């Protein structure tokens, strides 16, 4: 590999970035921890394009003809399924990882556009419940803050088996984020590093999980939809087993999902891309004749209405956003670049969400920093962003002749790369070829 | 509800006739601040999720063996189970008293946040895992990985403890009368001071178990894993 230094050749294996990381590890004696999801290139929705209507398809008029976006989740067993106005939900992020102001802002933004937000590993706060019209309560391995009152106060329950950033991994909330309030909610001493377990404490496999779900249904009188969330890895089998265990909704989080902080090597080398996981989940549901009966939510790298539309076209019922929601609140804002530089980073690169020093006041428990985020303004920004995503998805759906975003289908998509064609199960653009499906 | 007799002060539910759903629904309809009521459940027959999510002051006696998660997330109620219990007995219980006359399978009292769980037989692996404030008294022995990552609350074990007791322990206090196969990461034996003897005496009395508190040894967290330290990497 050539460099800007004539005559010098940079190693591909031992590039300057790799050398810097080896030397950092040798100095500090610990791996790099960060949030932000997979940063390297992996095949994604950008590698797909829609086939807009033309001679053989009839488009709908933008801004005039209806293109609906509502979605109902939890129709399999729950007596009170939830109905959302848009198919874009806000993913689980804990109070503890996020400030109370950020959690409130997420609730306000989601509620303003008629969608749901989700608790996280640390329990439900009163502010969050109050600000969220539809709130999904997570049941995680740690069970921090778990109690039957909040279970009954929730609109849906999400049993979390894993996250896209770290399938198979637990978590760690550093001591500087364990404020007295966070510690009390988690039954832990303040200021200690707190482990979040990687396995549930009271069930050990899909057969047990089926019984666990039945207990949760009994406690809540079979009212609430129960989601099962998995980090994308063996997604075909996980989806099949989640259906067998009795899920109303399955949430699949691809490796680009990344509000969860963990080791850089874990983020980049464990799990599969959202694109590949989504196709596997839809295949499993279809084979079981459960597609659209058990709803599918996909997350991990959703940024635009095009991403939303592509996920729905591939068979998802809804998508979920995490990183993008934080950015909408103000994370990595260029206006804060001076502050980011003071903590050794730059706007656009900040990913130490575990460290609690967030100048935007989002991923922190520092009261002074947290006060910088106005929950009302933050909520307004998130609502603006969610509306934009929705309108973008509608524009694409209308162009494909669809009167509901759920009418988008794989037939509307082609891939720009062989890898994406293989993962998404759609033809390479200009061909009829789907790798793995013969010619 | 079919299978219910309520002519006497004790409301009897026969699970040969009534369903688990009907039983739980009836228990959930009790008012949180209502008068205490008495219930007797016949033919438990290993059913799962029996008497879960109770949110009222009532006394429930269950006849027979119970399946998974019996008395899960209990608040206020006093339950007595005349049999053995499968996985997750009284998981995440919040308050009240759960008494098991027989043996408990794995993860008994998991993540419990308050109240008292008494197991008159033995408890299998992971008893008191991720404990968050519940007190557990076991008349017999407990299996391996008991009190794993336990955070708050107390466990009194009158028999022996399996391997890796208290692995990655936070602030739960462990008292064992018998042998401990070995201790888990960051769990150490600590001095049994007068206040600990007093606490064990009180818990044994509350559990109705006749043992000498002075015969117990105390184990707790060394607190060396509370902050990540690369020099402790071999313990992680």
């Amino acid at each position: 590999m050539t460099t800007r230094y004539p005559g010098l050749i940079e190693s591909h294996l031992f590039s300057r970035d790799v050398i810097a990381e080896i030397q950092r590890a040798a100095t500090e004696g610990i791996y790099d921890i960060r949030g932000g999801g997979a940063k390297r290139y992996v095949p994604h929705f950008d590698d797909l394009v829609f086939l807009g209507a033309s001679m053989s398809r009839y488009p709908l008029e933008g801004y005039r003809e209806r293109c609906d976006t509502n979605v109902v989740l939890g129709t399999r067993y729950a007596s009170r399924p939830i109905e959302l106005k848009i198919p874009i939900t806000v993913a689980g992020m804990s109070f503890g990882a996020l400030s109370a102001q950020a959690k409130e802002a997420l609730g306000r933004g989601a509620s303003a556009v008629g969608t749901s937000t989700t608790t996280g590993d640390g329990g439900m706060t009163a502010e969050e419940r109050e600000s969220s019209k539809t709130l999904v309560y997570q049941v995680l391995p740690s069970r921090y803050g778990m109690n039957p009152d909040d279970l009954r106060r929730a609109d849906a329950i999400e049993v979390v088996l894993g996250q896209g950033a770290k399938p198979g991994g637990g978590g760690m909330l550093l001591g500087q984020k364990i404020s007295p309030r966070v510690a009390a909610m988690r039954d832990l001493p303040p200021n200690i590093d707190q482990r979040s377990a990687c396995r549930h404490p009271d069930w050990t496999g899909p057969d047990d999980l089926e019984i666990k779900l039945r207990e949760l249904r009994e406690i809540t009188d079979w009212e609430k939809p129960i989601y099962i969330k998995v980090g994308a890895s063996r997604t075909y089998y996980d989806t099949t087993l989640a259906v067998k265990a009795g899920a109303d909704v399955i949430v699949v989080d691809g490796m680009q999902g990344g509000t969860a902080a963990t080791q850089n090597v874990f983020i980049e080398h464990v799990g599969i891309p959202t694109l590949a996981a989504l196709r596997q989940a839809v295949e499993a549901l279809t084979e079981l004749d459960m597609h659209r009966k058990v709803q599918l939510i996909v997350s991990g790298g959703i940024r635009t209405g095009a991403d939303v539309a592509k996920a729905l076209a591939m068979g998802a019922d809804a998508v979920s956003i995490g990183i993008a929601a934080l950015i909408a609140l103000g994370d990595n804002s260029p206006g804060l670049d001076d502050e980011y530089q003071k903590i050794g980073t730059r706007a656009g690169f900040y990913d130490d969400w575990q460290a609690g020093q967030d100048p935007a006041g989002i991923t922190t428990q520092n009261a002074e920093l947290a006060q910088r985020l106005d929950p009302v303004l933050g909520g307004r920004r998130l609502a603006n962003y969610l509306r934009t995503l929705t309108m973008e998805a509608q524009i694409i759906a209308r162009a494909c002749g669809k009167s509901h975003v759920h009418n988008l289908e794989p037939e509307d998509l082609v891939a720009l790369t062989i890898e994406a064609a293989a993962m998404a199960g759609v033809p390479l653009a200009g061909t009829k070829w789907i790798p793995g499906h013969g010619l | 509800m079919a299978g219910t007799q309520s002519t006497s002060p004790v409301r009897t539910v026969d699970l040969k006739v009534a369903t688990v759903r009907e039983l739980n629904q009836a228990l959930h309809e009790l008012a949180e601040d209502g008068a205490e009521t008495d219930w007797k459940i016949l033919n438990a027959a290993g059913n799962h999720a029996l008497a879960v999510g109770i949110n009222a002051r009532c006394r429930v006696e269950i006849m027979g063996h119970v399946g998974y998660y019996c008395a899960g997330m209990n608040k206020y109620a006093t339950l007595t189970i005349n049999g053995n219990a499968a996985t997750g007995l009284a998981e995440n219980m919040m308050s009240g008293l759960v008494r098991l006359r027989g043996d408990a399978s794995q993860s008994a009292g998991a993540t419990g946040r308050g109240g008292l769980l008494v197991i008159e037989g033995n408890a299998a692996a992971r008893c008191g895992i991720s404990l968050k404030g519940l007190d557990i008294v076991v008349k017999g022995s407990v299996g391996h990985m008991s009190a794993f990552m336990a955070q708050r609350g107390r466990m009194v074990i009158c028999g022996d403890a399996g391997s890796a007791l208290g692995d990655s322990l936070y602030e739960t206090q462990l008292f064992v009368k018998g042998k401990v196969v070995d201790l888990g990461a960051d769990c150490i034996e600590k001095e049994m001071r007068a206040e600990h003897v007093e606490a064990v005496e009180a818990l044994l009395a509350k559990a109705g178990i006749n043992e000498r508190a002075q015969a117990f040894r105390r184990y707790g967290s060394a607190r060396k894993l509370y902050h990540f330290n690369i020099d402790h990497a071999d313990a992680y």
Side-chain angles (χ1 to χ4, degrees):
Chain A
M1 192 184 300
T2 57
T3 71
R4 59 195 163 96
Y5 303 110
L8 301 183
I9 301 171
E10 183 169 11
S11 168
H12 178 75
L13 275 180
F14 289 93
S15 66
R16 277 169 288 178
D17 286 345
V18 171
I19 288 169
E21 173 53 20
I22 291 172
Q23 291 180 341
R24 187 207 59 76
T27 304
E28 298 176 9
I30 189 168
Y31 34 65
D32 179 30
I33 294 181
R34 65 171 180 83
K39 289 192 168 184
R40 63 170 163 158
Y41 169 77
V42 293
H44 195 46
F45 294 119
D46 287 341
D47 300 311
L48 305 179
V49 290
F50 281 100
L51 301 174
S54 180
M55 190 76 81
S56 62
R57 304 287 188 279
Y58 200 67
L60 299 183
E61 193 65 57
Y63 303 109
R64 292 289 182 275
E65 291 179 295
R66 288 189 66 84
C67 178
D68 291 326
T69 60
N70 64 306
V71 60
V72 181
L73 301 171
T75 52
R76 187 183 185 192
Y77 291 124
S79 64
R80 293 185 186 174
I82 59 175
E83 178 157 8
L84 307 179
K85 289 182 180 170
I86 63 171
I88 309 161
T89 66
V90 177
M93 292 173 273
S94 74
F95 166 65
L98 303 191
S99 65
Q101 288 87 339
K103 290 297 285 178
E104 183 182 339
L106 293 175
R108 285 175 174 274
S111 299
V113 296
T115 191
S116 63
T117 187
T118 312
T119 57
D121 197 1
M124 182 191 292
T125 66
E127 300 98 308
E128 183 174 34
R129 178 60 277 189
E130 196 176 326
S131 63
S132 304
K133 183 173 176 294
T134 306
L135 182 59
V136 182
Y137 185 46
Q138 287 192 326
V139 176
L140 293 118
S142 73
R143 309 283 167 88
Y144 290 132
M146 170 56 53
N147 71 79
D149 300 326
D150 287 341
L151 206 57
R152 286 186 275 260
R153 265 193 285 269
D155 299 291
I157 298 162
E158 181 171 288
V159 179
V160 179
L161 276 65
Q163 296 169 272
K166 46 182 175 180
M172 173 94 86
L173 195 63
L174 294 179
Q176 56 263 42
K177 294 180 87 170
I178 309 290
S179 67
R181 185 181 178 197
V182 172
M185 282 181 69
R186 299 180 184 218
D187 299 294
L188 284 167
N191 306 316
I192 68 163
D193 292 345
Q194 164 257 285
R195 281 287 303 168
S196 290
C198 62
R199 301 186 299 270
H200 280 261
D202 56 354
W203 61 268
T204 52
D207 294 334
D208 282 5
L209 178 57
E210 185 174 352
I211 305 170
K212 183 69 193 172
L213 262 52
R214 204 185 312 165
E215 183 211 11
L216 295 172
R217 290 195 193 281
E218 283 294 326
I219 290 171
T220 54
D221 296 329
W222 291 73
E223 290 178 350
K224 324 279 183 191
I226 298 186
Y227 304 6
I228 291 180
K229 178 176 180 177
V230 293
S233 55
R234 297 177 180 87
T235 308
Y236 174 86
Y237 297 105
D238 285 346
T239 303
T240 303
L241 292 169
V243 169
K244 187 256 179 196
D248 290 303
V249 177
I250 296 170
V251 183
V252 174
D253 191 23
M255 71 182 289
Q256 298 99 318
T259 56
T262 193
Q263 297 87 354
N264 180 61
V265 291
F266 203 150
I267 293 171
E268 298 287 8
H269 299 280
V270 182
I272 64 172
T274 305
L275 198 63
L278 170 54
R279 195 211 76 244
Q280 288 193 337
V282 173
E283 272 181 12
L285 289 170
T286 304
E287 286 175 18
L288 295 167
D289 192 26
M290 281 292 176
H291 191 219
R292 307 295 186 202
K293 297 174 186 167
V294 170
Q295 286 78 40
L296 176 65
I297 300 176
V298 68
S299 55
I302 301 293
R303 305 150 297 168
T304 67
D307 292 340
V308 176
K310 289 169 187 175
L312 300 183
M314 283 182 62
D317 294 277
V319 300
S320 201
I321 59 169
I323 294 176
L326 301 189
I327 293 171
L329 295 187
D331 174 75
N332 271 297
S333 169
L336 293 169
D337 192 46
D338 288 348
E339 302 244 17
Y340 284 118
Q341 288 192 52
K342 285 179 196 165
I343 55 173
T345 183
R346 300 293 301 260
F349 296 88
Y350 182 60
D351 57 15
D352 284 331
W353 295 331
Q354 77 286 354
Q357 298 175 293
D358 187 354
I362 299 167
T363 57
T364 186
Q365 291 301 315
N366 178 310
E368 195 179 314
L369 292 173
Q371 279 179 356
R372 293 181 180 184
L373 181 70
D374 176 353
V376 176
L377 180 60
R380 174 71 190 169
R381 289 176 58 88
L382 178 62
N384 284 342
Y385 174 60
L386 290 167
R387 287 191 185 103
T388 304
L389 292 185
T390 305
M391 288 188 291
E392 288 174 343
Q394 285 173 301
I395 286 165
I396 290 170
R398 285 194 187 97
C400 293
K402 314 296 185 184
S403 59
H404 195 294
V405 289
H406 284 149
N407 295 341
L408 288 164
E409 54 195 319
E411 191 268 341
D412 294 315
L413 291 169
V414 291
L416 300 176
T417 67
I418 294 170
E419 290 83 359
M423 288 186 188
V426 300
L428 187 65
T431 78
K432 294 179 180 174
W433 180 43
I434 303 173
H437 290 227
L439 291 173
Chain B
M1 175 183 16
T4 305
Q5 298 167 18
S6 54
T7 48
S8 74
V10 179
R11 196 164 172 191
T12 303
V13 179
D14 187 347
L15 289 174
K16 271 189 177 170
V17 184
T19 64
V20 172
R21 179 79 287 273
E22 288 169 332
L23 167 67
N24 285 328
Q25 187 70 51
L27 291 168
H28 295 173
E29 283 167 7
L30 298 174
E32 187 174 356
D33 53 357
E36 202 160 23
T37 53
D38 286 281
W39 295 69
K40 190 165 192 174
I41 316 301
L42 304 178
N43 296 304
N47 272 298
H48 302 307
L50 286 178
V52 294
I54 299 179
N55 194 38
R57 285 169 182 79
C58 59
R59 286 179 291 268
V60 180
E61 185 171 19
I62 300 177
M63 309 306 291
H65 305 308
V66 296
Y68 282 44
Y69 310 124
C70 181
M73 300 206 190
N74 180 60
K75 270 181 92 175
Y76 310 123
T78 298
L79 291 102
T80 303
I81 301 147
N82 294 297
N84 301 323
T87 297
L89 170 70
E91 65 86 20
N92 211 84
M93 71 179 276
M94 304 293 292
S95 60
L97 168 66
V98 175
R99 179 182 298 278
L100 179 73
R101 300 284 189 202
D103 296 325
S105 183
Q106 61 181 340
S107 302
T111 77
R113 299 187 66 189
L116 175 65
L117 170 62
V118 180
I119 297 168
E120 295 189 358
N122 301 302
R126 292 177 275 277
C127 181
I129 184 172
S130 296
L131 202 63
K132 292 173 169 58
L134 168 69
D135 290 325
I136 301 177
V137 179
V138 181
K139 193 171 180 182
S141 300
V142 298
H144 64 270
M145 296 296 281
S146 287
F148 176 60
M149 291 179 83
Q151 299 168 215
R152 284 181 54 226
R154 297 167 294 184
M155 282 182 72
V156 176
I157 301 155
C158 302
D160 303 330
S163 61
L165 177 71
D167 192 283
S168 305
L169 194 64
Y170 291 99
E171 292 297 308
T172 293
Q173 295 192 50
L174 307 174
F175 303 96
V176 184
K177 186 182 165 203
K179 292 177 197 158
V180 174
V181 172
D182 57 44
L183 298 173
D186 212 33
C187 183
I188 56 171
E189 183 170 356
K190 295 187 168 183
E191 183 189 357
M192 186 81 177
R193 296 193 298 268
E195 70 261 33
H196 304 120
V197 172
E198 203 174 302
V200 171
E201 268 174 355
L203 283 167
L204 288 168
K206 216 169 159 185
I209 293 173
N210 186 23
E211 293 280 1
R212 275 184 65 248
Q214 290 83 353
F216 286 76
R217 299 168 82 161
R218 181 168 76 103
Y219 304 89
S221 175
R223 303 190 178 99
K224 286 185 178 170
L225 301 183
Y226 275 13
H227 294 95
F228 186 88
N229 184 334
I230 192 59
D231 296 327
H232 295 157
D234 58 350
Y236 297 118

